[in-house]
Amino acid sequence: LEVDKLSCPAVKAYLDNYLGQYKETLGDLMGRRGLQYVITDSWEAGTQNWTDDMFSEFARRRGYDMHPCLPVLTGRVVESAESSERFLWDFRKTIGDLTTECHYEQISASLHERSMGRYTESHESGRAFIGDGMDVKRKAEVPMSAMWTARPGTASAQYDADVRESASVAHIYGQNLTAAESLTAGTGAWSFSPETLKPTADRLLAMGLNRFVIHTSVHQPLSDKVPGFGLGPYGQWFTRHETWAEQAKPWVSYLARSSYLLQQGKFVADIILFYGEDSNITALYGRKSPDVPAGYNFDYASADVILNRLSADAGRITTPSGMSYRLLALDPRCRKLSLPVLRKLRDLVKEGACIVGPMPLESPSLSDDQTEFRAIAQELWAAGTSVNRVGKGTVYAEKTIAEALAALNAGPDFEYTKPQADTNLMFVHRALDDGDLYWVNNRSNRAENLDASFRVQGKAPELWHADTGKIEPASYRIVDGRTKVPLRLDPSDAVFVVFRKPATGASRSLPQPVETRLADIEGAWEVSFQPGRGAPAKITLDKLGSWSENAEEGVRFFSGSATYTRTLEAPAGWFKSDARIILDLGDVKNIAEITVNGVPMGIVWKAPFRVDVTGTLKPGRNSLEVKITNLWVNRLIGDEQPGVAKKYTFTTQQFYRADSPLLPSGLLGPVQLVSRTATDYTNLTK
């Protein structure tokens, strides 16, 4: 049974019952102390096109009686095709308004009565949904979206629009927080590690996310059933039974640090893009993002944003939340606009706004005066004129967004050199009270050395690393009102470039570390396997290689943690006062926890798999332990082999067959020790 989502009384009655059941169970543990939020997941109920009060609601909102037009809903033409199409637009608009107000905003009202709030997803991508995605999130305490992982190591770009939609709501309506159902997967059960998840997480951050809601953490009540329960084929299987659950802290810390920093200050965007009133952001841009030039960021704008949130002053377009834009861009498909929206565009231009986009041709609504519409459109666009001054503002009728920004002398916020043709960086800029914060992400699975240019001057840059928590100063040059910073980014790396301290000069050149290989750590390792997973207690490996290629069946199908141990002789000549000693593990599948001479050195979860062992590694004999954790896949495949007498795993459905390919696992190397020249930045980072 479905609730009538176009009826406020029906939705309220449902929530009174639903939340009342929680109240009976939780008592005072609802509201400010206890259960605080409800999430509305993506709209998956199909479409609804009627409610008992449709006639009165339509008349109140559209200004005319819909009875004479009812045959149009059966596919017939009333009066003319144009008139019938306009009625259908009005009808869909009414459904959308009722969906927003009677479903989503009634949920908020019912929650507010209980001192609770709402996280709201809308329709992800490809959902059948009549309504506006920004509208349904505008009164949510936390607007929310979704980003799926297409396969390990990738992100599903079709959800970019959904995440940026929620971010735009947060920026414009003032919530500041942007959440997403994050890292969802429909394939590859238990095949994800923090390293393979990072590109998807970073893509979320690039689209404006700053609060992760990880999918999915299914309750695991049974300790002897591993990896345990799931939501059918869907998940990211982020539970206590994940092989790397006890080594997840550095990964979670990376997400937390990144989110916290991207909650600071205000989002910086030069462009606010109006996508029209005929379709949804995810339908329009799910497969191809808007044609926004590189180096600029943007927010989306709904009709409600245009009508109720935008003002113009001194050439800037502003919102009550504190956002400020240089340019209002109309999507090229905005050839039909409602008359109230067109009137507001006229008012904005007269107040000083700059607009780029083609002249709209007509209103799609039967309620609107087409004569007035054409008069305003002619006033703003002055047919045949590519640039038209109206009041204090300007309309660029026949220019691209890039050309309009150039005419406004608005240079890119962020630029970078391209060492290779496919070098690709994403960025987010947040303006702080005392400076600027840029987040820069390398989308390539290779290291990049390049120069980045930021629209900032007068402040010295620092590099803040969310993966380690470390801060270091950066070299720079201030030229023509911009600050150029050399960046050396690891594969799929992300770094915050923070401008908060006054620059002491026009440039600063810091020495770059020089690395020298000290030794390859070759020879035999003893490997001890986690018990209860089918592997022998201990083996000796003469050389490093993947467990999945081992002749021993228990090793080949092993999933879990295994500890590599060996001794290492370190010559006195390795130890120099001006150098750091780095242990480089080479390739690791999938997470490594390192101990030197009994001292924990940390967990490494992504390339490069390195730790600084300076001060712990000593001249002479040293003990080295490397605890490696792989994924569940190989053991799940092993349990499907013919004639298996004992299964070590439990799942609620079969995800792999006996002939499914095994995943590379273990310490693959090569393992090396590297000397890295040290630089004292103490005085620069205080």
Side-chain angles (χ1 to χ4, degrees):
L1 297 177
E2 275 292 333
V3 175
D4 179 357
K5 296 180 176 66
L6 308 186
S7 166
C8 292
V11 174
K12 184 179 187 305
Y14 172 82
L15 286 165
D16 285 345
N17 179 290
Y18 177 74
L19 297 173
Q21 294 181 49
Y22 278 88
K23 180 69 174 177
E24 290 175 7
T25 302
L26 297 175
D28 292 336
L29 294 179
M30 283 182 72
R32 294 182 181 89
R33 191 172 72 91
L35 183 63
Q36 297 179 17
Y37 294 95
V38 165
I39 289 180
T40 63
D41 197 4
S42 50
W43 181 286
E44 301 178 20
T47 58
Q48 181 183 339
N49 65 1
W50 199 259
T51 184
D52 290 347
D53 295 329
M54 180 61 81
F55 290 118
S56 60
E57 289 288 356
F58 185 94
R60 182 169 68 86
R61 296 165 187 276
R62 307 282 84 87
Y64 65 93
D65 180 11
M66 67 179 289
H67 281 88
C69 302
L70 282 179
V72 176
L73 300 181
T74 72
R76 290 165 173 78
V77 172
V78 174
E79 291 190 1
S80 68
E82 293 80 6
S83 177
S84 298
E85 286 292 345
R86 287 180 175 139
F87 163 71
L88 289 174
W89 190 92
D90 288 339
F91 184 63
R92 291 191 297 270
K93 177 66 173 170
T94 301
I95 293 172
D97 290 347
L98 291 172
T99 298
T100 296
E101 297 170 23
C102 293
H103 178 55
Y104 291 95
E105 293 180 357
Q106 177 58 54
I107 293 174
S108 278
S110 295
L111 291 171
H112 291 170
E113 290 176 5
R114 296 158 175 84
S115 300
M116 296 174 67
R118 169 169 63 103
Y119 280 62
T120 282
E121 293 185 46
S122 178
H123 49 290
E124 293 184 323
S125 179
R127 305 288 187 194
F129 182 83
I130 300 175
D132 186 279
M134 289 190 71
D135 284 357
V136 304
K137 300 172 185 178
R138 66 192 179 194
K139 291 188 179 180
E141 275 65 34
V142 183
M144 188 168 163
S145 48
M147 175 73 79
W148 287 56
T149 52
R151 60 183 183 276
T154 66
S156 185
Q158 70 181 23
Y159 293 96
D160 287 357
D162 191 28
V163 183
R164 192 178 286 272
E165 175 184 87
S166 294
S168 299
V169 172
H171 302 153
I172 293 167
Y173 290 90
Q175 297 101 325
N176 190 47
L177 295 175
T178 303
E181 173 193 312
S182 305
L183 311 174
T184 316
T187 59
W190 286 286
S191 66
F192 296 91
S193 70
E195 183 180 33
T196 60
L197 291 167
K198 186 177 185 294
T200 302
D202 287 341
R203 192 173 194 98
L204 281 156
L205 295 169
M207 293 302 111
L209 174 128
N210 55 22
R211 176 165 288 183
F212 288 90
V213 180
I214 295 178
H215 187 293
T216 177
S217 185
V218 176
H219 178 48
Q220 302 293 346
L222 305 176
S223 295
D224 61 339
K225 302 295 184 184
V226 293
F229 297 103
L231 296 180
Y234 302 108
Q236 187 259 287
W237 303 279
F238 188 74
T239 82
R240 70 187 183 100
H241 287 333
E242 180 58 89
T243 54
W244 45 269
E246 297 301 323
Q247 296 168 309
K249 184 176 180 180
W251 165 235
V252 175
S253 296
Y254 171 76
L255 300 179
R257 291 189 187 110
S258 300
S259 298
Y260 178 78
L261 287 176
L262 290 172
Q263 292 170 13
Q264 307 309 304
K266 293 288 184 184
F267 178 65
V268 175
D270 290 281
I271 303 154
I272 183 165
L273 189 144
F274 179 47
Y275 51 89
E277 303 171 84
D278 290 327
S279 189
N280 260 294
I281 288 171
T282 58
L284 293 169
Y285 310 112
R287 298 190 179 277
K288 184 179 183 301
S289 296
D291 189 18
V292 171
Y296 299 88
N297 235 322
F298 72 97
D299 277 328
Y300 288 115
S302 64
D304 183 69
V305 170
I306 298 291
L307 291 168
N308 300 309
R309 294 285 161 172
L310 298 187
S311 302
D313 182 51
R316 308 289 301 198
I317 301 164
T318 60
T319 70
S321 63
M323 291 300 299
S324 177
Y325 308 93
R326 295 293 302 272
L327 185 66
L328 171 58
L330 306 183
D331 185 281
R333 288 166 287 203
C334 288
R335 304 313 295 270
K336 295 183 179 182
L337 301 178
S338 65
L339 183 56
V341 167
L342 186 62
R343 288 173 181 151
K344 183 58 181 287
L345 294 179
R346 176 195 59 196
D347 295 343
L348 288 170
V349 173
K350 288 185 175 180
E351 293 168 2
C354 294
I355 293 179
V356 61
M359 183 175 74
L361 303 177
E362 62 181 0
S363 166
S365 173
L366 202 58
S367 302
D368 288 342
D369 183 336
Q370 300 293 336
T371 301
E372 182 186 355
F373 184 97
R374 286 189 292 271
I376 296 174
Q378 287 291 334
E379 177 187 4
L380 289 178
W381 273 265
T385 304
S386 61
V387 180
N388 189 32
R389 294 281 298 179
V390 180
K392 299 177 183 178
T394 305
V395 176
Y396 298 98
E398 297 177 8
K399 290 185 179 294
T400 63
I401 294 175
E403 290 168 341
L405 289 167
L408 294 171
N409 295 316
D413 192 9
F414 173 72
E415 294 180 297
Y416 57 94
T417 57
K418 286 202 167 192
Q420 300 192 47
D422 61 346
T423 298
N424 181 24
L425 304 186
M426 288 181 169
F427 82 102
V428 176
H429 178 190
R430 306 279 299 193
L432 311 176
D433 290 340
D434 59 349
D436 291 88
L437 177 152
Y438 287 81
W439 175 84
V440 179
N441 175 221
N442 174 19
R443 298 306 298 173
S444 171
N445 194 29
R446 64 169 181 265
E448 297 281 9
N449 292 305
L450 48 83
D451 290 326
S453 174
F454 303 87
R455 198 169 59 196
V456 175
Q457 61 177 332
K459 291 186 180 292
E462 299 169 326
L463 305 181
W464 293 28
H465 301 277
D467 54 345
T468 63
K470 293 181 179 178
I471 298 173
E472 61 178 327
S475 301
Y476 68 87
R477 290 183 299 121
I478 300 175
V479 181
D480 297 330
R482 303 183 67 86
T483 302
K484 298 184 178 181
V485 181
L487 294 179
R488 288 157 182 82
L489 301 170
D490 289 329
S492 302
D493 200 2
V495 65
F496 288 89
V497 184
V498 181
F499 298 86
R500 59 176 180 145
K501 298 178 180 178
T504 57
S507 65
R508 178 171 72 192
S509 181
L510 301 175
Q512 295 303 310
V514 177
E515 291 191 353
T516 304
R517 183 176 62 82
L518 296 175
D520 293 330
I521 302 178
E522 299 176 323
W525 295 76
E526 276 199 351
V527 185
S528 301
F529 290 92
Q530 178 180 352
R533 300 287 173 87
K538 184 180 293 187
I539 64 171
T540 298
L541 292 178
D542 294 330
K543 64 178 182 178
L544 297 176
S546 175
W547 301 336
S548 62
E549 297 174 356
N550 196 281
E552 169 67 50
E553 188 174 272
V555 175
R556 189 163 65 251
F557 294 121
F558 177 76
S559 292
S561 297
T563 302
Y564 291 67
T565 59
R566 62 168 296 152
T567 58
L568 172 68
E569 290 289 335
W574 287 1
F575 300 87
K576 299 177 181 179
S577 60
D578 64 343
R580 313 292 297 179
I581 298 180
I582 309 298
L583 175 65
D584 188 330
L585 299 180
D587 195 9
V588 170
K589 299 299 180 186
N590 296 92
I591 296 179
E593 190 170 352
I594 299 138
T595 302
V596 176
N597 294 326
V599 179
M601 305 305 298
I603 297 169
V604 286
W605 52 274
K606 65 180 181 64
F609 291 90
R610 288 179 150 200
V611 292
D612 188 329
V613 296
T614 308
T616 305
L617 192 75
K618 305 292 185 182
R621 191 177 183 86
N622 295 267
S623 66
L624 176 61
E625 293 185 3
V626 183
K627 180 181 178 181
I628 301 293
T629 303
N630 71 337
L631 307 175
W632 273 116
V633 174
N634 291 356
R635 186 65 266 167
L636 291 169
I637 294 171
D639 283 0
E640 295 299 323
Q641 299 304 304
V644 167
K646 178 181 178 181
K647 291 192 174 186
Y648 297 90
T649 60
F650 166 85
T651 60
T652 48
Q653 66 184 81
Q654 182 184 8
F655 292 97
Y656 298 96
R657 302 187 307 269
D659 60 350
S660 296
L662 297 174
L663 297 183
S665 298
L667 177 59
L668 306 182
V671 180
Q672 297 179 334
L673 283 168
V674 176
S675 176
R676 180 185 177 98
T677 57
T679 304
D680 185 3
Y681 293 139
T682 304
N683 292 329
L684 291 173
T685 55
K686 280 184 179 177

mmCIF file of all heavy atoms in Angstrom, residues 78 209 214 253 313 358 365 416 420 450 530 599:
data_model
loop_
_atom_site.group_PDB
_atom_site.id
_atom_site.type_symbol
_atom_site.label_atom_id
_atom_site.label_comp_id
_atom_site.label_asym_id
_atom_site.label_seq_id
_atom_site.Cartn_x
_atom_site.Cartn_y
_atom_site.Cartn_z
ATOM 1 N N VAL A 78 -7.542 19.343 -26.779
ATOM 2 C CA VAL A 78 -8.606 20.288 -26.449
ATOM 3 C C VAL A 78 -8.174 21.661 -26.950
ATOM 4 O O VAL A 78 -7.121 22.163 -26.586
ATOM 5 C CB VAL A 78 -8.876 20.323 -24.932
ATOM 6 C CG1 VAL A 78 -9.870 21.423 -24.589
ATOM 7 C CG2 VAL A 78 -9.393 18.968 -24.458
ATOM 8 N N LEU A 209 30.181 17.192 -1.971
ATOM 9 C CA LEU A 209 29.850 16.471 -0.745
ATOM 10 C C LEU A 209 30.779 16.890 0.396
ATOM 11 O O LEU A 209 31.965 17.126 0.193
ATOM 12 C CB LEU A 209 29.987 14.966 -0.968
ATOM 13 C CG LEU A 209 29.811 14.123 0.304
ATOM 14 C CD1 LEU A 209 28.788 13.041 0.087
ATOM 15 C CD2 LEU A 209 31.131 13.514 0.742
ATOM 16 N N ILE A 214 27.794 6.165 4.526
ATOM 17 C CA ILE A 214 28.348 5.027 3.795
ATOM 18 C C ILE A 214 27.310 3.915 3.651
ATOM 19 O O ILE A 214 26.665 3.522 4.614
ATOM 20 C CB ILE A 214 29.610 4.493 4.497
ATOM 21 C CG1 ILE A 214 30.710 5.568 4.461
ATOM 22 C CG2 ILE A 214 30.100 3.216 3.830
ATOM 23 C CD1 ILE A 214 31.980 5.169 5.171
ATOM 24 N N SER A 253 39.509 8.286 8.877
ATOM 25 C CA SER A 253 40.100 9.582 9.212
ATOM 26 C C SER A 253 40.270 10.447 7.967
ATOM 27 O O SER A 253 40.071 11.669 8.017
ATOM 28 C CB SER A 253 41.454 9.386 9.900
ATOM 29 O OG SER A 253 41.297 8.724 11.139
ATOM 30 N N ASP A 313 23.574 42.982 -7.112
ATOM 31 C CA ASP A 313 24.115 44.243 -6.616
ATOM 32 C C ASP A 313 25.566 44.343 -7.046
ATOM 33 O O ASP A 313 26.338 43.392 -6.870
ATOM 34 C CB ASP A 313 24.011 44.315 -5.087
ATOM 35 C CG ASP A 313 24.532 45.641 -4.544
ATOM 36 O OD1 ASP A 313 24.099 46.686 -5.043
ATOM 37 O OD2 ASP A 313 25.373 45.604 -3.636
ATOM 38 N N PRO A 358 20.433 31.946 -24.678
ATOM 39 C CA PRO A 358 19.570 32.343 -25.795
ATOM 40 C C PRO A 358 18.249 32.925 -25.303
ATOM 41 O O PRO A 358 17.809 32.666 -24.184
ATOM 42 C CB PRO A 358 19.345 31.029 -26.546
ATOM 43 C CG PRO A 358 19.475 29.974 -25.488
ATOM 44 C CD PRO A 358 20.514 30.472 -24.535
ATOM 45 N N SER A 365 3.128 27.702 -19.948
ATOM 46 C CA SER A 365 1.943 27.606 -19.099
ATOM 47 C C SER A 365 0.724 28.248 -19.744
ATOM 48 O O SER A 365 0.813 29.323 -20.348
ATOM 49 C CB SER A 365 2.208 28.284 -17.751
ATOM 50 O OG SER A 365 1.040 28.343 -16.980
ATOM 51 N N TYR A 416 45.917 24.650 -14.258
ATOM 52 C CA TYR A 416 47.097 23.815 -14.034
ATOM 53 C C TYR A 416 47.712 23.418 -15.368
ATOM 54 O O TYR A 416 47.039 23.369 -16.407
ATOM 55 C CB TYR A 416 46.744 22.563 -13.228
ATOM 56 C CG TYR A 416 45.668 21.691 -13.846
ATOM 57 C CD1 TYR A 416 45.989 20.609 -14.667
ATOM 58 C CD2 TYR A 416 44.311 21.939 -13.609
ATOM 59 C CE1 TYR A 416 45.008 19.803 -15.223
ATOM 60 C CE2 TYR A 416 43.324 21.138 -14.157
ATOM 61 C CZ TYR A 416 43.675 20.072 -14.958
ATOM 62 O OH TYR A 416 42.695 19.281 -15.511
ATOM 63 N N GLN A 420 50.743 15.600 -19.349
ATOM 64 C CA GLN A 420 50.274 14.690 -20.380
ATOM 65 C C GLN A 420 48.885 15.124 -20.825
ATOM 66 O O GLN A 420 48.164 15.805 -20.087
ATOM 67 C CB GLN A 420 50.253 13.256 -19.857
ATOM 68 C CG GLN A 420 51.630 12.754 -19.414
ATOM 69 C CD GLN A 420 51.665 11.270 -19.168
ATOM 70 O OE1 GLN A 420 51.171 10.484 -19.985
ATOM 71 N NE2 GLN A 420 52.265 10.873 -18.057
ATOM 72 N N LEU A 450 53.164 18.996 -11.633
ATOM 73 C CA LEU A 450 52.613 20.077 -12.439
ATOM 74 C C LEU A 450 52.605 21.370 -11.639
ATOM 75 O O LEU A 450 52.883 21.392 -10.439
ATOM 76 C CB LEU A 450 51.186 19.714 -12.898
ATOM 77 C CG LEU A 450 50.220 19.173 -11.826
ATOM 78 C CD1 LEU A 450 49.566 20.295 -11.047
ATOM 79 C CD2 LEU A 450 49.149 18.297 -12.472
ATOM 80 N N GLN A 530 46.128 -15.826 9.649
ATOM 81 C CA GLN A 530 45.027 -15.758 10.603
ATOM 82 C C GLN A 530 44.358 -17.128 10.676
ATOM 83 O O GLN A 530 44.032 -17.719 9.643
ATOM 84 C CB GLN A 530 44.035 -14.682 10.138
ATOM 85 C CG GLN A 530 42.814 -14.506 10.995
ATOM 86 C CD GLN A 530 41.906 -13.401 10.440
ATOM 87 O OE1 GLN A 530 42.261 -12.687 9.507
ATOM 88 N NE2 GLN A 530 40.733 -13.274 11.027
ATOM 89 N N VAL A 599 57.877 -1.733 17.354
ATOM 90 C CA VAL A 599 57.232 -0.424 17.415
ATOM 91 C C VAL A 599 56.252 -0.287 16.246
ATOM 92 O O VAL A 599 56.662 -0.380 15.079
ATOM 93 C CB VAL A 599 58.258 0.719 17.363
ATOM 94 C CG1 VAL A 599 57.557 2.078 17.401
ATOM 95 C CG2 VAL A 599 59.258 0.590 18.507
#
